[in-house]
PDB file of all heavy atoms in Angstrom:
ATOM      1  N   ILE L 890      -1.459   7.307  34.074  1.00 81.00           N
ATOM      2  CA  ILE L 890      -2.282   8.328  34.707  1.00 81.00           C
ATOM      3  C   ILE L 890      -3.456   7.687  35.470  1.00 81.00           C
ATOM      4  O   ILE L 890      -3.836   8.121  36.547  1.00 81.00           O
ATOM      5  CB  ILE L 890      -2.787   9.359  33.675  1.00 81.00           C
ATOM      6  CG1 ILE L 890      -3.276  10.630  34.343  1.00 81.00           C
ATOM      7  CG2 ILE L 890      -3.874   8.775  32.785  1.00 81.00           C
ATOM      8  CD1 ILE L 890      -3.600  11.739  33.368  1.00 81.00           C
ATOM      9  N   ALA L 894      -4.447   7.635  39.717  1.00 75.00           N
ATOM     10  CA  ALA L 894      -5.696   8.186  40.213  1.00 75.00           C
ATOM     11  C   ALA L 894      -6.686   7.112  40.671  1.00 75.00           C
ATOM     12  O   ALA L 894      -7.647   7.432  41.396  1.00 75.00           O
ATOM     13  CB  ALA L 894      -6.358   9.012  39.092  1.00 75.00           C
ATOM     14  N   LEU L 945     -13.396   4.988  18.944  1.00 95.00           N
ATOM     15  CA  LEU L 945     -13.778   4.104  20.055  1.00 95.00           C
ATOM     16  C   LEU L 945     -13.071   4.499  21.343  1.00 95.00           C
ATOM     17  O   LEU L 945     -13.669   4.511  22.435  1.00 95.00           O
ATOM     18  CB  LEU L 945     -13.438   2.641  19.701  1.00 95.00           C
ATOM     19  CG  LEU L 945     -14.305   1.961  18.645  1.00 95.00           C
ATOM     20  CD1 LEU L 945     -13.747   0.572  18.309  1.00 95.00           C
ATOM     21  CD2 LEU L 945     -15.736   1.841  19.142  1.00 95.00           C
ATOM     22  N   LEU L 952     -17.139   8.285  28.252  1.00 94.00           N
ATOM     23  CA  LEU L 952     -18.068   7.521  29.086  1.00 94.00           C
ATOM     24  C   LEU L 952     -17.428   7.133  30.420  1.00 94.00           C
ATOM     25  O   LEU L 952     -18.121   7.118  31.453  1.00 94.00           O
ATOM     26  CB  LEU L 952     -18.477   6.237  28.322  1.00 94.00           C
ATOM     27  CG  LEU L 952     -19.358   6.461  27.081  1.00 94.00           C
ATOM     28  CD1 LEU L 952     -19.574   5.148  26.350  1.00 94.00           C
ATOM     29  CD2 LEU L 952     -20.681   7.094  27.456  1.00 94.00           C
ATOM     30  N   PHE L 955     -17.930   9.482  33.137  1.00 92.00           N
ATOM     31  CA  PHE L 955     -19.282   9.490  33.732  1.00 92.00           C
ATOM     32  C   PHE L 955     -19.599   8.181  34.448  1.00 92.00           C
ATOM     33  O   PHE L 955     -20.771   7.971  34.826  1.00 92.00           O
ATOM     34  CB  PHE L 955     -20.328   9.715  32.632  1.00 92.00           C
ATOM     35  CG  PHE L 955     -20.308  11.099  32.061  1.00 92.00           C
ATOM     36  CD1 PHE L 955     -19.871  11.326  30.755  1.00 92.00           C
ATOM     37  CD2 PHE L 955     -20.737  12.198  32.798  1.00 92.00           C
ATOM     38  CE1 PHE L 955     -19.838  12.603  30.208  1.00 92.00           C
ATOM     39  CE2 PHE L 955     -20.729  13.478  32.274  1.00 92.00           C
ATOM     40  CZ  PHE L 955     -20.289  13.684  30.975  1.00 92.00           C
ATOM     41  N   GLY L 974      -6.391  -1.341  20.759  1.00 90.00           N
ATOM     42  CA  GLY L 974      -6.027  -2.491  19.923  1.00 90.00           C
ATOM     43  C   GLY L 974      -6.002  -2.141  18.446  1.00 90.00           C
ATOM     44  O   GLY L 974      -5.316  -2.805  17.664  1.00 90.00           O
ATOM     45  N   GLN L 977      -2.695   1.213  18.132  1.00 89.00           N
ATOM     46  CA  GLN L 977      -1.265   0.939  18.315  1.00 89.00           C
ATOM     47  C   GLN L 977      -0.619   0.182  17.161  1.00 89.00           C
ATOM     48  O   GLN L 977       0.359   0.660  16.585  1.00 89.00           O
ATOM     49  CB  GLN L 977      -1.066   0.195  19.638  1.00 89.00           C
ATOM     50  CG  GLN L 977       0.412   0.026  19.997  1.00 89.00           C
ATOM     51  CD  GLN L 977       0.628  -0.667  21.320  1.00 89.00           C
ATOM     52  OE1 GLN L 977      -0.319  -1.037  21.992  1.00 89.00           O
ATOM     53  NE2 GLN L 977       1.872  -0.864  21.688  1.00 89.00           N
ATOM     54  N   GLY L 994      13.845   3.223  11.587  1.00 71.00           N
ATOM     55  CA  GLY L 994      14.312   3.077  12.958  1.00 71.00           C
ATOM     56  C   GLY L 994      14.336   4.396  13.713  1.00 71.00           C
ATOM     57  O   GLY L 994      14.058   4.446  14.913  1.00 71.00           O
ATOM     58  N   LEU L1000       8.980   7.221  18.729  1.00 82.00           N
ATOM     59  CA  LEU L1000       7.820   6.624  19.386  1.00 82.00           C
ATOM     60  C   LEU L1000       8.209   6.003  20.720  1.00 82.00           C
ATOM     61  O   LEU L1000       7.440   6.074  21.697  1.00 82.00           O
ATOM     62  CB  LEU L1000       7.203   5.536  18.472  1.00 82.00           C
ATOM     63  CG  LEU L1000       6.672   6.025  17.127  1.00 82.00           C
ATOM     64  CD1 LEU L1000       6.002   4.871  16.375  1.00 82.00           C
ATOM     65  CD2 LEU L1000       5.714   7.203  17.289  1.00 82.00           C
ATOM     66  N   ALA L1001       9.411   5.406  20.786  1.00 77.00           N
ATOM     67  CA  ALA L1001       9.881   4.881  22.064  1.00 77.00           C
ATOM     68  C   ALA L1001      10.046   6.005  23.090  1.00 77.00           C
ATOM     69  O   ALA L1001       9.737   5.832  24.274  1.00 77.00           O
ATOM     70  CB  ALA L1001      11.214   4.155  21.868  1.00 77.00           C
ATOM     71  N   SER L1007       5.801   9.500  28.534  1.00 79.00           N
ATOM     72  CA  SER L1007       4.464   9.302  29.099  1.00 79.00           C
ATOM     73  C   SER L1007       4.523   8.604  30.463  1.00 79.00           C
ATOM     74  O   SER L1007       3.751   8.910  31.366  1.00 79.00           O
ATOM     75  CB  SER L1007       3.605   8.496  28.130  1.00 79.00           C
ATOM     76  OG  SER L1007       3.425   9.170  26.902  1.00 79.00           O
ATOM     77  N   ILE L1027      -9.247  12.675  34.332  1.00 88.00           N
ATOM     78  CA  ILE L1027      -8.237  11.644  34.085  1.00 88.00           C
ATOM     79  C   ILE L1027      -8.474  10.996  32.717  1.00 88.00           C
ATOM     80  O   ILE L1027      -7.560  10.665  31.972  1.00 88.00           O
ATOM     81  CB  ILE L1027      -8.283  10.560  35.199  1.00 88.00           C
ATOM     82  CG1 ILE L1027      -7.794  11.143  36.520  1.00 88.00           C
ATOM     83  CG2 ILE L1027      -7.471   9.336  34.820  1.00 88.00           C
ATOM     84  CD1 ILE L1027      -6.328  11.478  36.544  1.00 88.00           C
ATOM     85  N   PHE L1045      -3.761  14.540   6.392  1.00 88.00           N
ATOM     86  CA  PHE L1045      -2.390  14.383   5.898  1.00 88.00           C
ATOM     87  C   PHE L1045      -1.966  12.968   5.548  1.00 88.00           C
ATOM     88  O   PHE L1045      -0.930  12.771   4.919  1.00 88.00           O
ATOM     89  CB  PHE L1045      -1.388  14.949   6.937  1.00 88.00           C
ATOM     90  CG  PHE L1045      -1.668  16.384   7.293  1.00 88.00           C
ATOM     91  CD1 PHE L1045      -1.976  16.744   8.592  1.00 88.00           C
ATOM     92  CD2 PHE L1045      -1.625  17.365   6.333  1.00 88.00           C
ATOM     93  CE1 PHE L1045      -2.239  18.062   8.919  1.00 88.00           C
ATOM     94  CE2 PHE L1045      -1.889  18.698   6.636  1.00 88.00           C
ATOM     95  CZ  PHE L1045      -2.190  19.050   7.947  1.00 88.00           C
ATOM     96  N   LEU L1083      -5.683 -20.906  42.315  1.00 61.00           N
ATOM     97  CA  LEU L1083      -6.359 -21.739  41.320  1.00 61.00           C
ATOM     98  C   LEU L1083      -7.778 -22.006  41.785  1.00 61.00           C
ATOM     99  O   LEU L1083      -8.004 -22.768  42.738  1.00 61.00           O
ATOM    100  CB  LEU L1083      -5.588 -23.049  41.116  1.00 61.00           C
ATOM    101  CG  LEU L1083      -6.006 -23.894  39.902  1.00 61.00           C
ATOM    102  CD1 LEU L1083      -5.727 -23.133  38.616  1.00 61.00           C
ATOM    103  CD2 LEU L1083      -5.246 -25.210  39.899  1.00 61.00           C
ATOM    104  N   ILE L1092     -10.262 -23.869  30.312  1.00 90.00           N
ATOM    105  CA  ILE L1092     -10.969 -24.826  29.464  1.00 90.00           C
ATOM    106  C   ILE L1092     -11.548 -24.134  28.226  1.00 90.00           C
ATOM    107  O   ILE L1092     -11.448 -24.610  27.103  1.00 90.00           O
ATOM    108  CB  ILE L1092     -12.076 -25.534  30.268  1.00 90.00           C
ATOM    109  CG1 ILE L1092     -11.432 -26.462  31.332  1.00 90.00           C
ATOM    110  CG2 ILE L1092     -12.971 -26.346  29.338  1.00 90.00           C
ATOM    111  CD1 ILE L1092     -12.434 -27.083  32.279  1.00 90.00           C
ATOM    112  N   PHE L1096     -10.552 -24.983  24.243  1.00 91.00           N
ATOM    113  CA  PHE L1096     -11.559 -25.358  23.244  1.00 91.00           C
ATOM    114  C   PHE L1096     -11.630 -24.351  22.116  1.00 91.00           C
ATOM    115  O   PHE L1096     -11.696 -24.722  20.920  1.00 91.00           O
ATOM    116  CB  PHE L1096     -12.920 -25.518  23.918  1.00 91.00           C
ATOM    117  CG  PHE L1096     -13.164 -26.891  24.482  1.00 91.00           C
ATOM    118  CD1 PHE L1096     -13.031 -27.136  25.843  1.00 91.00           C
ATOM    119  CD2 PHE L1096     -13.500 -27.956  23.663  1.00 91.00           C
ATOM    120  CE1 PHE L1096     -13.219 -28.392  26.378  1.00 91.00           C
ATOM    121  CE2 PHE L1096     -13.708 -29.217  24.175  1.00 91.00           C
ATOM    122  CZ  PHE L1096     -13.568 -29.455  25.540  1.00 91.00           C
ATOM    123  N   ILE L1102      -7.786 -22.871  15.406  1.00 85.00           N
ATOM    124  CA  ILE L1102      -6.810 -23.524  14.509  1.00 85.00           C
ATOM    125  C   ILE L1102      -7.539 -24.267  13.378  1.00 85.00           C
ATOM    126  O   ILE L1102      -7.133 -24.202  12.212  1.00 85.00           O
ATOM    127  CB  ILE L1102      -5.918 -24.487  15.304  1.00 85.00           C
ATOM    128  CG1 ILE L1102      -5.053 -23.710  16.301  1.00 85.00           C
ATOM    129  CG2 ILE L1102      -5.033 -25.327  14.382  1.00 85.00           C
ATOM    130  CD1 ILE L1102      -4.266 -24.569  17.266  1.00 85.00           C
ATOM    131  N   ARG L1107      -8.988 -23.986   7.301  1.00 80.00           N
ATOM    132  CA  ARG L1107      -9.961 -24.164   6.239  1.00 80.00           C
ATOM    133  C   ARG L1107     -10.418 -22.844   5.603  1.00 80.00           C
ATOM    134  O   ARG L1107     -11.037 -22.852   4.543  1.00 80.00           O
ATOM    135  CB  ARG L1107     -11.194 -24.915   6.765  1.00 80.00           C
ATOM    136  CG  ARG L1107     -11.935 -24.172   7.876  1.00 80.00           C
ATOM    137  CD  ARG L1107     -13.071 -25.009   8.457  1.00 80.00           C
ATOM    138  NE  ARG L1107     -14.173 -25.102   7.542  1.00 80.00           N
ATOM    139  CZ  ARG L1107     -15.170 -24.235   7.452  1.00 80.00           C
ATOM    140  NH1 ARG L1107     -15.193 -23.157   8.232  1.00 80.00           N
ATOM    141  NH2 ARG L1107     -16.126 -24.416   6.586  1.00 80.00           N
ATOM    142  N   THR L1141       9.260  -3.786  36.335  1.00 83.00           N
ATOM    143  CA  THR L1141       8.381  -2.643  36.661  1.00 83.00           C
ATOM    144  C   THR L1141       7.456  -2.957  37.842  1.00 83.00           C
ATOM    145  O   THR L1141       7.047  -2.035  38.580  1.00 83.00           O
ATOM    146  CB  THR L1141       7.520  -2.274  35.434  1.00 83.00           C
ATOM    147  OG1 THR L1141       6.773  -3.416  34.994  1.00 83.00           O
ATOM    148  CG2 THR L1141       8.405  -1.797  34.297  1.00 83.00           C
ATOM    149  N   LEU L1203      22.117  -8.143  37.913  1.00 95.00           N
ATOM    150  CA  LEU L1203      22.339  -7.128  38.951  1.00 95.00           C
ATOM    151  C   LEU L1203      21.191  -7.146  39.968  1.00 95.00           C
ATOM    152  O   LEU L1203      21.410  -6.915  41.161  1.00 95.00           O
ATOM    153  CB  LEU L1203      22.468  -5.743  38.309  1.00 95.00           C
ATOM    154  CG  LEU L1203      23.677  -5.542  37.382  1.00 95.00           C
ATOM    155  CD1 LEU L1203      23.731  -4.087  36.903  1.00 95.00           C
ATOM    156  CD2 LEU L1203      24.975  -5.894  38.095  1.00 95.00           C
ATOM    157  N   VAL L1205      19.475  -9.809  40.776  1.00 94.00           N
ATOM    158  CA  VAL L1205      19.681 -11.008  41.588  1.00 94.00           C
ATOM    159  C   VAL L1205      20.717 -10.775  42.684  1.00 94.00           C
ATOM    160  O   VAL L1205      20.646 -11.327  43.781  1.00 94.00           O
ATOM    161  CB  VAL L1205      20.100 -12.181  40.682  1.00 94.00           C
ATOM    162  CG1 VAL L1205      20.552 -13.396  41.515  1.00 94.00           C
ATOM    163  CG2 VAL L1205      18.950 -12.602  39.781  1.00 94.00           C
ATOM    164  N   VAL L1214      21.624   2.311  43.936  1.00 93.00           N
ATOM    165  CA  VAL L1214      22.328   2.549  42.657  1.00 93.00           C
ATOM    166  C   VAL L1214      22.440   1.236  41.885  1.00 93.00           C
ATOM    167  O   VAL L1214      22.353   1.217  40.659  1.00 93.00           O
ATOM    168  CB  VAL L1214      23.713   3.169  42.910  1.00 93.00           C
ATOM    169  CG1 VAL L1214      24.502   3.266  41.609  1.00 93.00           C
ATOM    170  CG2 VAL L1214      23.580   4.530  43.565  1.00 93.00           C
ATOM    171  N   PRO L1288      -1.314 -10.860  54.202  1.00 58.00           N
ATOM    172  CA  PRO L1288      -1.437  -9.618  53.438  1.00 58.00           C
ATOM    173  C   PRO L1288      -1.404  -8.370  54.309  1.00 58.00           C
ATOM    174  O   PRO L1288      -0.889  -7.321  53.907  1.00 58.00           O
ATOM    175  CB  PRO L1288      -2.805  -9.778  52.743  1.00 58.00           C
ATOM    176  CG  PRO L1288      -3.026 -11.263  52.678  1.00 58.00           C
ATOM    177  CD  PRO L1288      -2.390 -11.815  53.915  1.00 58.00           C
ATOM    178  N   VAL L1337      17.055 -16.369  14.761  1.00 91.00           N
ATOM    179  CA  VAL L1337      16.593 -15.515  13.668  1.00 91.00           C
ATOM    180  C   VAL L1337      17.551 -15.667  12.498  1.00 91.00           C
ATOM    181  O   VAL L1337      18.752 -15.543  12.655  1.00 91.00           O
ATOM    182  CB  VAL L1337      16.537 -14.037  14.104  1.00 91.00           C
ATOM    183  CG1 VAL L1337      16.249 -13.135  12.908  1.00 91.00           C
ATOM    184  CG2 VAL L1337      15.484 -13.833  15.181  1.00 91.00           C
TER     185      VAL L1337
END
Side-chain angles (χ1 to χ4, degrees):
I890 197 172
L945 288 174
L952 292 174
F955 290 110
Q977 187 178 0
L1000 299 184
S1007 298
I1027 292 290
F1045 304 119
L1083 192 63
I1092 292 174
F1096 273 101
I1102 294 173
R1107 62 185 288 273
T1141 57
L1203 296 184
V1205 170
V1214 175
V1337 172

